[in-house]
Amino acid sequence: MGAVRTRTPGRRRAVPWLVLGLWIGLLVLVSPFAAKLSDVQRDRAVDYLPASADSTQVAKIQERLPGGEATEMVVVYHRDGGLTAADRATAAGQIERIADAHRLTGQPRGIPSEDGTTLMYPVASTEPGTDEEARDALVNDVREAARGADGMSVEVGGEGALATDANEVYDSLDGPLLYTTAAVVALLLIVIYRSPFLWLVPLTVAGLAEYLSMGVAYGLHQGFGTSVSGQSSGIMTILVFGAGTDYALLLVARYREELRRFERPYDAMAAALRGCGPAVLASSGTVAAGLLCLLAADLNSSRGMGPLGTVGVLCALLAMLTLLPAVLVLLGRRVFWPLVPRYGSTPKARRSLFTAMGGSAGRRPLTVLAGGAVLLGALALGTLNLPGSLKQEDSFTSKPDAVAAMETLAAAYPERGTQPLTVIAPTDRADATLAEVRDTQGVDSAERGRSGDGWTEISVTAVSPPQSAGETTTIEALRDRLDGSYVGGPSAEQLDLKDTNARDRLVVVPLVLVSVLLILIALLRSLVAPLLLVAAVVAVWGAALGIGGLVFGPVLGFEGTDPGLGLLSFVFLVALGVDYGIFLMHRMREESLNGAEPVAAALTALRTTGGVIASAGLVLAATFGVLTAMPLVQLVELGFVIAVGVLLDTFLVRTYLVTSASVALRRAVWWPGRLARAPEPEPEPERQPVGA
């Protein structure tokens, strides 16, 4: 196609400056709110629990009892050869000083292990209430006061200590996660663009989009009570940089192409936006729609992630379709130096990797499809090797003090519970409930606690160790027996997480599939092509989970799988994976509308978008791969599965399988749209590329 000359009116030259000015004003407006997002971030148990579960009701009612929410700890004294009388006296003195310094719910009583090596003191205080900073200060004060000496170790565990250790991890994520993500994206952009300047533009725009998303997220929290957790804010950052850079890669590639056809950058950018704008809008729409489906989840952490993830994607979209084009137009062609696209020039043709891949897919489409299906199916069998549900003490990649304490307790008290269950009963039936609790099989002891607001707290010690099959049976027996009461505590919370995630999968997965399908049908004017793309990403999800099953336990040594991994990885892989299918199929449809026969349209689409899709896939996989360096097992697992899935989708499914299926189906891929009924033109004889 020949070069096109157009005249740009003077008023159009002002448009980029106007857009830049509007963005400056917008950032100034949101600046006070963006800085406050970390202030409303909460990582309490209730922020991650199911909204309707028993354990959540217990946590909420405990906040209303006198003194508010209790911080429960266990101080563990241990000596391998057995505790001495001096050790026990030291422990008693330290616990006495802790009781004098803090408002405890009762006088701590030491419980020795049968082998005499360990002495544990359950310690609980309502002093911090729901204030996370006060809770962390209390736990750290207890740790400071409880000191080991001369071979005797002292560790502080329990629910409160575990929450403090987890909170420290989440607080440490914000800075490293942002900086590491930005550094990874910068490195990849330098390699992709091979320019000392161009990479700075999309990276800077992505950073500004992240700042905007923080302000909007804070506004959502203030206006609608949207929960903000360390996990959801971290995922928002990943999505801004990952999805935003993907959109930038597609736009810049099309802009570079149009600069050879248009003399003025403004006209080239307008053509680029017309060409790739619908694909980018549909792409972001699928991600936003998929994430918003998480609002139907009962799990608080999943439901809160939906709006924040959507905010991240939409802010990235807004920035990449307005601010990025304005900056690129203002900088002109020189931003591409040293590989400046000259007006009227023709890019040097070479036989690329994607041309070769498309050639093999075009020659033997059914063979390629069968081989790919067998490979993905074999990989999906790895899901049978996924470890069981993740326990609290196995949630960290390193071992904090609270986890070390729980391991010591498990070894020293193998046949008894060391982590209390909590029963919340109506006060007018508290005595009867206490009797029923004590009479329940699997209960070792039960004591009446605080009362207030019509409820009474009962602390229950199970016979079986925490999160064992025996303790689970005890929890279920209590819930079946105690009508009108709630059973909570750390072990009950883990049980509710597992059950609720199973429920959420049944509700959210169909919603995601339907919403993504509807967007694809509207964009591609077809039913077959959307079904093909959705089937492909579901297969990728299964294969990525299967690879996780082969890696998590045998290679990384993880003791369990996060109950929410299946749902969250499905939502992200389906929503994000369809992006690349949109880029490919939208270009294929464009080629078909321009008169290309089906095989040529498919191969041209792969050749022209293959490099961009590969670059985008590498960037997105790398951004989610950043999560694998985080100190929480659930983040490592989520980042690994999504990164592997994106790579599978980029280099196997999009390039080989979708292209092969499109070649095999020919115009039927556009059924029932008008392209399916159009007569096929005679295929042109194949031409050898220059330099082949």
Side-chain angles (χ1 to χ4, degrees), residues 250 254 258 268-280 586-587 590:
L250 186 66
R254 191 63 178 259
E258 298 296 343
M269 181 57 73
L273 288 171
R274 286 194 299 270
C276 68
V280 172
H586 184 263
R587 187 60 181 260
E590 189 178 336

Side-chain angles (χ1 to χ4, degrees), residues 33-93:
F33 308 109
K36 295 180 180 179
L37 183 63
S38 60
D39 296 337
V40 298
Q41 181 176 307
R42 295 290 181 268
D43 291 296
R44 302 169 302 166
V46 71
D47 297 311
Y48 288 85
L49 290 174
S52 62
D54 262 29
S55 56
T56 310
Q57 304 309 313
V58 168
K60 289 181 176 179
I61 293 172
Q62 282 181 317
E63 293 178 1
R64 304 200 303 266
L65 292 177
E69 185 178 25
T71 298
E72 297 180 349
M73 296 165 282
V74 181
V75 183
V76 184
Y77 294 88
H78 175 81
R79 184 187 290 273
D80 288 337
L83 293 170
T84 66
D87 291 337
R88 289 190 287 272
T90 298

Side-chain angles (χ1 to χ4, degrees), residues 286 369 513 516-538 574 577-590 592 602 649 653-654 657-676:
T286 58
L369 271 176
L513 292 175
V516 169
L517 266 175
L518 291 176
I519 292 174
L520 290 175
I521 290 170
L523 174 72
L524 299 176
R525 307 291 196 273
S526 165
L527 185 59
V528 174
L531 288 172
L532 171 64
L533 293 180
V534 170
V537 292
V538 171
V574 169
V578 166
D579 278 12
Y580 304 135
I582 288 174
F583 297 161
L584 179 67
M585 297 298 287
H586 184 263
R587 187 60 181 260
M588 194 183 302
R589 187 172 188 275
E590 189 178 336
S592 298
D649 192 73
V653 173
R654 292 300 143 232
L657 303 190
V658 172
T659 301
S660 297
S662 300
V663 170
L665 291 170
R666 302 182 71 83
R667 290 202 178 276
V669 77
W670 305 115
W671 186 87
R674 63 184 181 89
L675 276 177

Side-chain angles (χ1 to χ4, degrees), residues 81-456:
L83 293 170
T84 66
D87 291 337
R88 289 190 287 272
T90 298
Q94 291 181 354
I95 296 298
E96 186 68 29
R97 286 192 292 273
I98 291 171
D100 290 340
H102 299 283
R103 187 174 67 249
L104 305 184
T105 57
Q107 183 63 35
R109 180 175 60 89
I111 304 173
S113 63
E114 290 186 2
D115 61 7
T117 63
T118 309
L119 179 65
M120 70 170 179
Y121 280 90
V123 176
S125 172
T126 58
E127 190 176 284
T130 59
D131 189 324
E132 290 184 42
E133 292 185 3
R135 178 203 64 200
D136 296 345
L138 170 64
V139 171
N140 290 328
D141 282 348
V142 171
R143 284 174 170 166
E144 185 67 25
R147 294 270 187 163
D150 300 326
M152 180 182 70
S153 66
V154 182
E155 298 158 340
V156 179
E159 185 179 11
L162 194 66
T164 292
D165 290 340
N167 200 44
E168 289 179 0
V169 170
Y170 279 117
D171 287 344
S172 70
L173 291 183
D174 293 342
L177 184 63
L178 176 61
Y179 303 143
T180 306
T181 303
V184 167
V185 171
L187 179 61
L188 289 173
L189 287 176
I190 291 171
V191 173
I192 291 167
Y193 286 141
R194 292 173 292 170
S195 167
F197 308 112
L198 181 56
W199 64 275
L200 278 168
V201 179
L203 183 64
T204 301
V205 171
L208 295 176
E210 160 69 2
Y211 196 68
L212 174 63
S213 69
M214 292 169 63
V216 176
Y218 178 80
L220 280 180
H221 172 80
Q222 294 298 102
F224 301 97
T226 303
S227 62
V228 180
S229 66
Q231 185 183 48
S232 60
S233 61
I235 293 296
M236 184 178 73
T237 297
I238 292 289
L239 284 172
V240 170
F241 279 91
T245 305
D246 278 5
Y247 304 150
L249 286 168
L250 186 66
L251 177 64
V252 171
R254 191 63 178 259
Y255 177 52
R256 186 196 295 268
E257 184 181 326
E258 298 296 343
L259 280 172
R260 302 181 188 278
R261 300 178 56 244
F262 291 88
E263 182 179 10
R264 300 181 185 277
Y266 181 95
D267 298 314
M269 181 57 73
L273 288 171
R274 286 194 299 270
C276 68
V280 172
L281 286 171
S283 170
S284 61
T286 58
V287 179
L291 290 173
L292 285 177
C293 290
L294 286 172
L295 288 172
D298 190 43
L299 195 63
N300 284 334
S301 56
S302 296
R303 193 169 62 250
M305 192 180 295
L308 259 66
T310 302
V311 165
V313 169
L314 295 182
C315 287
L317 172 71
L318 179 65
M320 296 307 169
L321 289 188
T322 58
L323 181 58
L324 178 64
V327 173
L328 288 174
V329 168
L330 291 174
L331 293 175
R333 297 174 188 270
R334 59 186 177 273
V335 75
F336 289 94
W337 186 89
L339 304 176
V340 179
R342 305 295 179 186
Y343 168 62
S345 64
T346 302
K348 182 180 179 181
R350 55 171 60 93
R351 189 172 178 80
S352 68
L353 170 65
F354 298 99
T355 301
M357 296 173 77
S360 63
R363 288 190 299 271
R364 295 179 294 275
L366 295 179
T367 302
V368 171
L369 271 176
V374 169
L375 175 61
L376 292 175
L379 291 174
L381 292 176
T383 56
L384 300 176
N385 197 48
L386 283 169
S389 295
L390 190 67
K391 296 181 179 179
Q392 281 183 312
E393 62 264 31
D394 299 325
S395 298
F396 301 88
T397 55
S398 58
K399 188 186 295 184
D401 191 51
V403 172
M406 294 173 74
E407 291 180 351
T408 301
L409 290 172
Y413 304 84
E415 301 301 329
R416 65 160 293 157
T418 56
Q419 188 168 257
L421 305 173
T422 301
V423 172
I424 295 292
T427 300
D428 58 358
R429 298 210 307 269
D431 291 335
T433 302
L434 179 61
E436 283 189 277
V437 169
R438 288 173 173 169
D439 191 47
T440 301
Q441 186 174 359
V443 171
D444 180 62
S445 62
E447 301 294 336
R448 180 168 174 162
R450 300 172 293 166
S451 294
D453 200 31
W455 297 96
T456 294

